[in-house]
């Protein structure tokens, strides 16, 4: 058991180390130009050297991502609960949720950016639109997946709509909601980056995507890679955070989170 | 051997010419008449798909008859009171997987606005009745099938029901567990004397547990035989006795006759 736990850390870390080593060797031995592919050490060095530019940009992107995610949780759950109350509400609203989802955020960006004067607000709206859908659909699915007999049992025991929602439907939907949250967390970051590319915001309030774009334009490839590295780390961190939250919330009962005895 | 007129007058549950046809056209029940007096343990015995469970759902108010009437007690006020005091045990344990054993049992009281302190005491009491006192903090997934069913029974008992409806609760269990739960159920019935309506497709189980066995015909279901079972003190010895076996044989023959008639 201990050995498996150790290996499950060592194997991915080892592969990562080998990949970075291979990258390093390709650049140094292959005589590759820095503006084509910077060495890993240079990328890390640039990350620290340019932190005064990249740090604030990361903060802007993080704020945007998490605000969009928080709004998506509130809006997605609220709409899912509303749709679970009545089939007619669901039928009336669902098409709009789908239309918003299937329209590419890149296509939507110019329309929204030109209509909302504040760029950060426009970006927030774009990231929200993208993150909102998986939370809505997963939560709605969860609310519909309540065991029929348990529903009957709650009726027999005189539970009203509110108490049934709180004591039965909400816990039943929790694993579904958490799946939605994991998906939404990842794509909220992507949406934040894509929206910023599309909107082309600049100046003091600009996020990582703009800095990446700007560095690319100036052929400052080490900084492009440093920004890319930050985005990747952020994405992994969001995934890890939402996965941990999910495992913690379901630790006592759900098959996905309960360790199996052999 | 039908129940007498005196019992009929004081019935807690009565079905009069009840029919039930589902939206897909299946006629589950047709012309069902039955009445149950307070304190009786009545088994509904019949082949799969004869509408036994449908009768339970009709009595519980989870479904309404296509024709005929389902009456509880003697007045609408009494019916409303009885309906609030129904304990229902499903074929599956039907527990909330996210809640502990104690929370599952306690939910029956919580939904009835029982104060928190009292909930704790009564849950402990109910779990003791089914021999699960030491599992209050366990989650359903940590329990065996038989133990889950005990939790389900404790959850039905904790609200002190007047009327207990059991829908083949032991069908999915192995025979040893099943016998033990049968004995538990009989013991508890002797102690509390609720009215019980018990759905089963096991001849031996129905004869062992009940004070009356109603034999049903295949779909559309109808009560074709009403047999009183003498209370000989349910015990392992009785299960082995010739009297018990003679009764089981008679019920079994009635069941076969009902099926042959339908075929």
């Amino acid at each position: 058991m201990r050995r498996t736990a150790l290996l499950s850390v060592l194997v991915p870390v080892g592969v990562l180390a080998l990949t970075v080593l291979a990258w390093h060797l390709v650049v140094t031995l292959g005589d590759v130009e820095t503006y084509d592919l910077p060495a890993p050490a240079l990328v890390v060095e640039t990350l620290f050297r340019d932190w005064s530019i990249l740090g604030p940009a990361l903060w802007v992107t993080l704020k945007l991502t998490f605000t969009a995610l928080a709004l998506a949780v509130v809006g997605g759950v609220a709409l899912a609960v509303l749709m679970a109350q009545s089939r007619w509400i669901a039928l009336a609203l669902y098409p709009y949720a789908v239309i918003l989802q299937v329209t590419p955020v890149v296509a939507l960006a110019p329309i929204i950016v030109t209509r909302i004067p504040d760029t950060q607000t426009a970006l927030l709206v774009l990231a929200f639109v993208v993150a909102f859908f998986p939370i809505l659909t997963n939560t709605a699915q969860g609310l519909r997946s309540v065991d029929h007999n348990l529903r009957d049992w709650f009726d027999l025991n005189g539970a009203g709509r509110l108490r049934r929602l709180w004591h039965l439907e909400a816990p039943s939907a929790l694993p579904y909601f958490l799946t939605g949250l994991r998906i939404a967390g990842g794509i909220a970051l992507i949406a934040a980056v894509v929206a910023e590319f599309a909107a082309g915001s600049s100046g003091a309030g600009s996020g990582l995507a703009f800095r990446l774009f700007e560095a690319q334009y100036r052929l400052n490839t080490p900084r492009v890679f440093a920004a890319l590295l930050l985005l990747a780390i952020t994405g992994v961190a969001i995934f890890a955070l939402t996965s941990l939250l999910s495992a913690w919330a379901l630790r006592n009962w759900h098959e996905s989170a309960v360790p199996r005895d052999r | 051997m039908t129940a007498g007129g005196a019992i009929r007058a004081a019935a807690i549950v009565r079905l009069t010419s009840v029919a039930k046809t589902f939206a897909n056209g299946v006629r589950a029940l047709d012309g069902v008449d039955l009445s149950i007096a307070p304190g009786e343990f009545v088994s509904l015995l019949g082949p799969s798909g004869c509408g036994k469970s449908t009768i339970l759902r009709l009595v519980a108010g989870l479904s309404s008859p296509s024709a005929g009437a389902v009456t509880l007690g003697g007045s609408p006020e009494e019916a409303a009171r009885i309906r609030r005091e129904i304990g229902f045990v499903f074929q599956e344990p039907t527990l909330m997987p996210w809640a502990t054993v104690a929370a599952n049992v306690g939910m029956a009281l919580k939904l009835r606005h029982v104060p928190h302190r009292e909930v704790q005491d009564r849950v402990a009491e109910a779990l003791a009745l089914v021999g699960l006192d030491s599992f209050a903090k366990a989650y359903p997934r940590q329990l065996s099938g038989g133990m889950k069913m005990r939790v389900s029974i404790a959850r039905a008992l904790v609200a002190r029901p007047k009327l207990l409806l059991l829908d083949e609760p032991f069908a999915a269990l192995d025979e040893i567990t099943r016998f033990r739960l049968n004995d538990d159920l009989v013991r508890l019935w002797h102690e509390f004397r609720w009215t019980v309506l018990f759905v089963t497709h096991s001849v031996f189980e129905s004869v062992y547990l009940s004070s009356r066995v109603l034999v049903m015909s295949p779909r559309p279901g109808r009560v074709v035989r009403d047999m009183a079972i003498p209370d000989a003190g349910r015990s392992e010895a009785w299960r082995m006795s010739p009297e018990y076996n003679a009764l089981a044989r008679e019920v079994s023959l009635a069941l076969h006759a009902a099926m042959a008639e339908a075929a």
Side-chain angles (χ1 to χ4, degrees), chain A residues 46-72:
Chain A
T46 312
L47 182 58
F48 284 101
R49 205 182 50 227
D50 293 352
W51 186 251
S52 58
I53 294 165
L54 293 177
L58 173 66
W59 177 237
V60 169
T61 303
L62 280 180
K63 259 197 318 203
L64 179 59
T65 304
F66 280 98
T67 315
L69 193 57
L71 290 176

mmCIF file of all heavy atoms in Angstrom, chain A residues 46-72:
data_model
loop_
_atom_site.group_PDB
_atom_site.id
_atom_site.type_symbol
_atom_site.label_atom_id
_atom_site.label_comp_id
_atom_site.label_asym_id
_atom_site.label_seq_id
_atom_site.Cartn_x
_atom_site.Cartn_y
_atom_site.Cartn_z
ATOM 1 N N THR A 46 12.912 33.709 -16.770
ATOM 2 C CA THR A 46 12.072 34.802 -17.271
ATOM 3 C C THR A 46 10.849 35.014 -16.376
ATOM 4 O O THR A 46 10.438 36.139 -16.116
ATOM 5 C CB THR A 46 11.600 34.499 -18.707
ATOM 6 O OG1 THR A 46 12.722 34.093 -19.473
ATOM 7 C CG2 THR A 46 10.946 35.705 -19.335
ATOM 8 N N LEU A 47 10.319 33.887 -15.922
ATOM 9 C CA LEU A 47 9.146 33.949 -15.042
ATOM 10 C C LEU A 47 9.453 34.809 -13.819
ATOM 11 O O LEU A 47 8.657 35.662 -13.423
ATOM 12 C CB LEU A 47 8.749 32.526 -14.626
ATOM 13 C CG LEU A 47 7.521 32.369 -13.747
ATOM 14 C CD1 LEU A 47 6.295 32.953 -14.418
ATOM 15 C CD2 LEU A 47 7.285 30.887 -13.437
ATOM 16 N N PHE A 48 10.632 34.596 -13.213
ATOM 17 C CA PHE A 48 10.996 35.379 -12.034
ATOM 18 C C PHE A 48 11.371 36.802 -12.407
ATOM 19 O O PHE A 48 10.964 37.748 -11.735
ATOM 20 C CB PHE A 48 12.156 34.690 -11.285
ATOM 21 C CG PHE A 48 11.680 33.490 -10.510
ATOM 22 C CD1 PHE A 48 11.865 32.198 -10.995
ATOM 23 C CD2 PHE A 48 11.008 33.664 -9.294
ATOM 24 C CE1 PHE A 48 11.412 31.102 -10.293
ATOM 25 C CE2 PHE A 48 10.551 32.565 -8.589
ATOM 26 C CZ PHE A 48 10.744 31.287 -9.084
ATOM 27 N N ARG A 49 12.133 36.958 -13.500
ATOM 28 C CA ARG A 49 12.601 38.282 -13.886
ATOM 29 C C ARG A 49 11.433 39.192 -14.271
ATOM 30 O O ARG A 49 11.401 40.364 -13.935
ATOM 31 C CB ARG A 49 13.585 38.155 -15.063
ATOM 32 C CG ARG A 49 14.560 39.335 -15.133
ATOM 33 C CD ARG A 49 15.482 39.217 -16.334
ATOM 34 N NE ARG A 49 14.738 38.967 -17.549
ATOM 35 C CZ ARG A 49 15.058 38.037 -18.451
ATOM 36 N NH1 ARG A 49 16.121 37.280 -18.282
ATOM 37 N NH2 ARG A 49 14.331 37.884 -19.543
ATOM 38 N N ASP A 50 10.444 38.617 -14.976
ATOM 39 C CA ASP A 50 9.309 39.413 -15.452
ATOM 40 C C ASP A 50 8.119 39.365 -14.504
ATOM 41 O O ASP A 50 6.995 39.667 -14.892
ATOM 42 C CB ASP A 50 8.872 38.931 -16.842
ATOM 43 C CG ASP A 50 9.936 39.210 -17.898
ATOM 44 O OD1 ASP A 50 10.910 39.908 -17.564
ATOM 45 O OD2 ASP A 50 9.780 38.725 -19.030
ATOM 46 N N TRP A 51 8.360 38.928 -13.267
ATOM 47 C CA TRP A 51 7.239 38.753 -12.329
ATOM 48 C C TRP A 51 6.462 40.050 -12.118
ATOM 49 O O TRP A 51 5.238 40.024 -11.910
ATOM 50 C CB TRP A 51 7.756 38.205 -11.002
ATOM 51 C CG TRP A 51 6.616 37.875 -10.075
ATOM 52 C CD1 TRP A 51 6.254 38.532 -8.942
ATOM 53 C CD2 TRP A 51 5.656 36.822 -10.255
ATOM 54 N NE1 TRP A 51 5.140 37.960 -8.395
ATOM 55 C CE2 TRP A 51 4.752 36.902 -9.188
ATOM 56 C CE3 TRP A 51 5.475 35.826 -11.232
ATOM 57 C CZ2 TRP A 51 3.678 36.035 -9.049
ATOM 58 C CZ3 TRP A 51 4.402 34.956 -11.080
ATOM 59 C CH2 TRP A 51 3.525 35.068 -10.006
ATOM 60 N N SER A 52 7.165 41.217 -12.214
ATOM 61 C CA SER A 52 6.472 42.488 -12.006
ATOM 62 C C SER A 52 5.394 42.714 -13.076
ATOM 63 O O SER A 52 4.440 43.436 -12.851
ATOM 64 C CB SER A 52 7.480 43.634 -12.025
ATOM 65 O OG SER A 52 8.168 43.608 -13.264
ATOM 66 N N ILE A 53 5.562 42.068 -14.240
ATOM 67 C CA ILE A 53 4.547 42.174 -15.300
ATOM 68 C C ILE A 53 3.587 40.989 -15.226
ATOM 69 O O ILE A 53 2.367 41.151 -15.275
ATOM 70 C CB ILE A 53 5.216 42.206 -16.693
ATOM 71 C CG1 ILE A 53 6.033 43.491 -16.829
ATOM 72 C CG2 ILE A 53 4.158 42.111 -17.800
ATOM 73 C CD1 ILE A 53 7.001 43.448 -17.973
ATOM 74 N N LEU A 54 4.158 39.780 -15.070
ATOM 75 C CA LEU A 54 3.333 38.561 -15.125
ATOM 76 C C LEU A 54 2.502 38.376 -13.856
ATOM 77 O O LEU A 54 1.360 37.903 -13.913
ATOM 78 C CB LEU A 54 4.236 37.339 -15.352
ATOM 79 C CG LEU A 54 4.921 37.294 -16.717
ATOM 80 C CD1 LEU A 54 5.857 36.089 -16.804
ATOM 81 C CD2 LEU A 54 3.897 37.244 -17.841
ATOM 82 N N GLY A 55 3.052 38.756 -12.696
ATOM 83 C CA GLY A 55 2.344 38.584 -11.424
ATOM 84 C C GLY A 55 0.989 39.293 -11.415
ATOM 85 O O GLY A 55 -0.052 38.645 -11.224
ATOM 86 N N PRO A 56 0.971 40.594 -11.660
ATOM 87 C CA PRO A 56 -0.314 41.313 -11.692
ATOM 88 C C PRO A 56 -1.259 40.767 -12.778
ATOM 89 O O PRO A 56 -2.473 40.715 -12.565
ATOM 90 C CB PRO A 56 0.098 42.752 -12.013
ATOM 91 C CG PRO A 56 1.507 42.850 -11.582
ATOM 92 C CD PRO A 56 2.121 41.502 -11.798
ATOM 93 N N ALA A 57 -0.663 40.351 -13.914
ATOM 94 C CA ALA A 57 -1.500 39.800 -14.990
ATOM 95 C C ALA A 57 -2.159 38.498 -14.533
ATOM 96 O O ALA A 57 -3.351 38.263 -14.789
ATOM 97 C CB ALA A 57 -0.648 39.553 -16.235
ATOM 98 N N LEU A 58 -1.382 37.660 -13.824
ATOM 99 C CA LEU A 58 -1.943 36.411 -13.291
ATOM 100 C C LEU A 58 -3.088 36.724 -12.329
ATOM 101 O O LEU A 58 -4.147 36.095 -12.368
ATOM 102 C CB LEU A 58 -0.840 35.625 -12.561
ATOM 103 C CG LEU A 58 -1.320 34.378 -11.809
ATOM 104 C CD1 LEU A 58 -1.847 33.333 -12.781
ATOM 105 C CD2 LEU A 58 -0.196 33.790 -10.953
ATOM 106 N N TRP A 59 -2.865 37.724 -11.492
ATOM 107 C CA TRP A 59 -3.879 38.105 -10.505
ATOM 108 C C TRP A 59 -5.182 38.521 -11.209
ATOM 109 O O TRP A 59 -6.275 38.115 -10.813
ATOM 110 C CB TRP A 59 -3.318 39.229 -9.629
ATOM 111 C CG TRP A 59 -4.300 39.757 -8.623
ATOM 112 C CD1 TRP A 59 -4.716 41.042 -8.484
ATOM 113 C CD2 TRP A 59 -4.978 39.011 -7.610
ATOM 114 N NE1 TRP A 59 -5.622 41.148 -7.468
ATOM 115 C CE2 TRP A 59 -5.808 39.914 -6.903
ATOM 116 C CE3 TRP A 59 -4.980 37.651 -7.241
ATOM 117 C CZ2 TRP A 59 -6.624 39.530 -5.851
ATOM 118 C CZ3 TRP A 59 -5.801 37.263 -6.189
ATOM 119 C CH2 TRP A 59 -6.610 38.185 -5.498
ATOM 120 N N VAL A 60 -5.050 39.299 -12.297
ATOM 121 C CA VAL A 60 -6.227 39.737 -13.059
ATOM 122 C C VAL A 60 -6.964 38.523 -13.633
ATOM 123 O O VAL A 60 -8.193 38.400 -13.516
ATOM 124 C CB VAL A 60 -5.804 40.701 -14.206
ATOM 125 C CG1 VAL A 60 -6.979 40.943 -15.152
ATOM 126 C CG2 VAL A 60 -5.306 42.007 -13.638
ATOM 127 N N THR A 61 -6.208 37.597 -14.214
ATOM 128 C CA THR A 61 -6.832 36.405 -14.814
ATOM 129 C C THR A 61 -7.497 35.532 -13.753
ATOM 130 O O THR A 61 -8.592 35.015 -13.957
ATOM 131 C CB THR A 61 -5.767 35.605 -15.586
ATOM 132 O OG1 THR A 61 -5.178 36.456 -16.569
ATOM 133 C CG2 THR A 61 -6.380 34.394 -16.274
ATOM 134 N N LEU A 62 -6.801 35.387 -12.593
ATOM 135 C CA LEU A 62 -7.373 34.580 -11.521
ATOM 136 C C LEU A 62 -8.683 35.175 -11.009
ATOM 137 O O LEU A 62 -9.672 34.466 -10.812
ATOM 138 C CB LEU A 62 -6.383 34.472 -10.352
ATOM 139 C CG LEU A 62 -5.258 33.455 -10.493
ATOM 140 C CD1 LEU A 62 -4.379 33.475 -9.253
ATOM 141 C CD2 LEU A 62 -5.829 32.055 -10.711
ATOM 142 N N LYS A 63 -8.659 36.490 -10.801
ATOM 143 C CA LYS A 63 -9.863 37.172 -10.315
ATOM 144 C C LYS A 63 -11.021 36.942 -11.277
ATOM 145 O O LYS A 63 -12.133 36.600 -10.880
ATOM 146 C CB LYS A 63 -9.597 38.677 -10.169
ATOM 147 C CG LYS A 63 -9.330 39.101 -8.765
ATOM 148 C CD LYS A 63 -9.483 40.617 -8.551
ATOM 149 C CE LYS A 63 -8.908 41.473 -9.652
ATOM 150 N NZ LYS A 63 -8.567 42.829 -9.262
ATOM 151 N N LEU A 64 -10.707 37.112 -12.572
ATOM 152 C CA LEU A 64 -11.732 36.950 -13.607
ATOM 153 C C LEU A 64 -12.286 35.519 -13.599
ATOM 154 O O LEU A 64 -13.497 35.298 -13.581
ATOM 155 C CB LEU A 64 -11.110 37.277 -14.974
ATOM 156 C CG LEU A 64 -12.006 37.144 -16.194
ATOM 157 C CD1 LEU A 64 -13.214 38.050 -16.046
ATOM 158 C CD2 LEU A 64 -11.232 37.501 -17.454
ATOM 159 N N THR A 65 -11.359 34.548 -13.548
ATOM 160 C CA THR A 65 -11.771 33.145 -13.587
ATOM 161 C C THR A 65 -12.645 32.782 -12.393
ATOM 162 O O THR A 65 -13.722 32.189 -12.542
ATOM 163 C CB THR A 65 -10.535 32.231 -13.598
ATOM 164 O OG1 THR A 65 -9.708 32.599 -14.707
ATOM 165 C CG2 THR A 65 -10.925 30.775 -13.719
ATOM 166 N N PHE A 66 -12.188 33.154 -11.209
ATOM 167 C CA PHE A 66 -12.927 32.729 -10.013
ATOM 168 C C PHE A 66 -14.232 33.494 -9.822
ATOM 169 O O PHE A 66 -15.213 32.942 -9.338
ATOM 170 C CB PHE A 66 -12.036 32.799 -8.772
ATOM 171 C CG PHE A 66 -11.133 31.609 -8.664
ATOM 172 C CD1 PHE A 66 -9.817 31.663 -9.090
ATOM 173 C CD2 PHE A 66 -11.622 30.408 -8.174
ATOM 174 C CE1 PHE A 66 -8.989 30.552 -9.028
ATOM 175 C CE2 PHE A 66 -10.800 29.284 -8.103
ATOM 176 C CZ PHE A 66 -9.479 29.354 -8.534
ATOM 177 N N THR A 67 -14.244 34.769 -10.240
ATOM 178 C CA THR A 67 -15.512 35.507 -10.155
ATOM 179 C C THR A 67 -16.518 34.875 -11.119
ATOM 180 O O THR A 67 -17.687 34.658 -10.770
ATOM 181 C CB THR A 67 -15.307 36.992 -10.513
ATOM 182 O OG1 THR A 67 -14.157 37.457 -9.843
ATOM 183 C CG2 THR A 67 -16.506 37.812 -10.106
ATOM 184 N N ALA A 68 -16.056 34.571 -12.343
ATOM 185 C CA ALA A 68 -16.949 33.942 -13.326
ATOM 186 C C ALA A 68 -17.456 32.599 -12.798
ATOM 187 O O ALA A 68 -18.639 32.272 -12.913
ATOM 188 C CB ALA A 68 -16.221 33.752 -14.653
ATOM 189 N N LEU A 69 -16.543 31.842 -12.181
ATOM 190 C CA LEU A 69 -16.916 30.523 -11.660
ATOM 191 C C LEU A 69 -17.943 30.660 -10.532
ATOM 192 O O LEU A 69 -18.950 29.934 -10.488
ATOM 193 C CB LEU A 69 -15.653 29.811 -11.160
ATOM 194 C CG LEU A 69 -15.782 28.317 -10.869
ATOM 195 C CD1 LEU A 69 -16.258 27.570 -12.097
ATOM 196 C CD2 LEU A 69 -14.444 27.762 -10.397
ATOM 197 N N ALA A 70 -17.699 31.617 -9.641
ATOM 198 C CA ALA A 70 -18.626 31.819 -8.521
ATOM 199 C C ALA A 70 -20.014 32.208 -9.040
ATOM 200 O O ALA A 70 -21.040 31.686 -8.590
ATOM 201 C CB ALA A 70 -18.085 32.887 -7.579
ATOM 202 N N LEU A 71 -20.036 33.133 -10.011
ATOM 203 C CA LEU A 71 -21.325 33.547 -10.584
ATOM 204 C C LEU A 71 -21.995 32.383 -11.300
ATOM 205 O O LEU A 71 -23.220 32.222 -11.247
ATOM 206 C CB LEU A 71 -21.123 34.715 -11.555
ATOM 207 C CG LEU A 71 -20.731 36.049 -10.922
ATOM 208 C CD1 LEU A 71 -20.457 37.092 -11.991
ATOM 209 C CD2 LEU A 71 -21.840 36.538 -9.987
ATOM 210 N N ALA A 72 -21.174 31.560 -11.965
ATOM 211 C CA ALA A 72 -21.724 30.406 -12.684
ATOM 212 C C ALA A 72 -22.341 29.404 -11.705
ATOM 213 O O ALA A 72 -23.376 28.810 -11.985
ATOM 214 C CB ALA A 72 -20.633 29.736 -13.512
#
